[in-house]
Amino acid sequence: MNPIRNALRLAAMYAIAATTAHALSAHAGDHAYRLDNAAYRQECGSCHVPYPPKLLPATSWRAVMGGLGTHFGVDASLEPAAQREIAAWLEANAGRRDTAAAGKPLLRVSSTPWFRKEHRREIAADKARHPEVKSLANCGACHQGAEQGSYSERDIRVPGGRSR
């Protein structure tokens, strides 16, 4: 075998792999999540964007659903049948990432390590306090398709512009 030909083949394979990886990473931000539970969309989505279940693990969703009487300072109690249906759906569609902190499940998507890493450069403190945003929990302020479960980077519109 010709060593030069082997080196050229190897270089070509690396170039193809790098190009493919770059093309795939360009679409890595095209996140679409299932929000196909009508009770969840109606009950939870009436106060805030219906967060994709995959953004928290089942332990976190159990804690959230178990504390609806004092849900972030609001009584968000549900009828028992609706609560059971929504809790079961959230757990069945929950994410696999461990988001526990000091042995306790995190209750806020915006507190998870993934969220902080994903948003650390795009959302400076002044953007989070922008009148159209008000809070990092307001996903729909920037993610135009959040109500439908779409978090595509192509559809992000940060009020006041992105931080960089």
Side-chain angles (χ1 to χ4, degrees):
M1 289 213 143
N2 184 338
I4 293 175
R5 182 172 280 166
N6 284 343
L8 289 173
R9 280 187 191 145
L10 187 59
M13 288 189 320
Y14 279 120
I16 291 168
T19 302
T20 302
H22 176 72
L24 291 174
S25 70
H27 297 289
D30 293 343
H31 300 292
Y33 297 97
R34 287 182 53 207
L35 293 176
D36 57 356
N37 182 283
Y40 176 68
R41 289 178 60 100
Q42 179 182 349
E43 296 291 348
C44 303
S46 67
C47 294
H48 54 72
V49 68
Y51 300 112
K54 289 222 177 286
L55 299 184
L56 289 175
T59 55
S60 291
W61 287 120
R62 274 192 292 278
V64 167
M65 294 302 291
L68 291 179
T70 57
H71 186 65
F72 301 104
V74 175
D75 183 355
S77 298
L78 299 172
E79 294 295 323
Q83 183 163 344
R84 282 191 304 276
E85 176 188 342
I86 292 169
W89 181 80
L90 288 169
E91 288 187 43
N93 293 285
R96 304 287 179 244
R97 290 185 182 115
D98 178 17
T99 61
K104 293 185 175 188
L106 293 177
L107 305 180
R108 296 176 187 271
V109 170
S110 60
S111 296
T112 64
W114 168 84
F115 182 95
R116 290 195 313 264
K117 178 181 174 259
E118 189 74 15
H119 294 85
R120 73 175 176 258
R121 289 189 354 233
E122 282 83 7
I123 303 179
D126 64 319
K127 300 298 181 210
R129 290 189 302 268
H130 191 279
E132 291 177 48
V133 178
K134 297 180 185 157
S135 160
L136 292 177
N138 184 8
C139 302
C142 301
H143 295 276
Q144 304 300 297
E147 292 286 335
Q148 292 76 41
S150 174
Y151 289 80
S152 171
E153 291 193 13
R154 286 181 287 228
D155 297 329
I156 295 175
R157 304 291 181 269
V158 179
R162 288 186 184 215
S163 304
R164 289 283 172 179

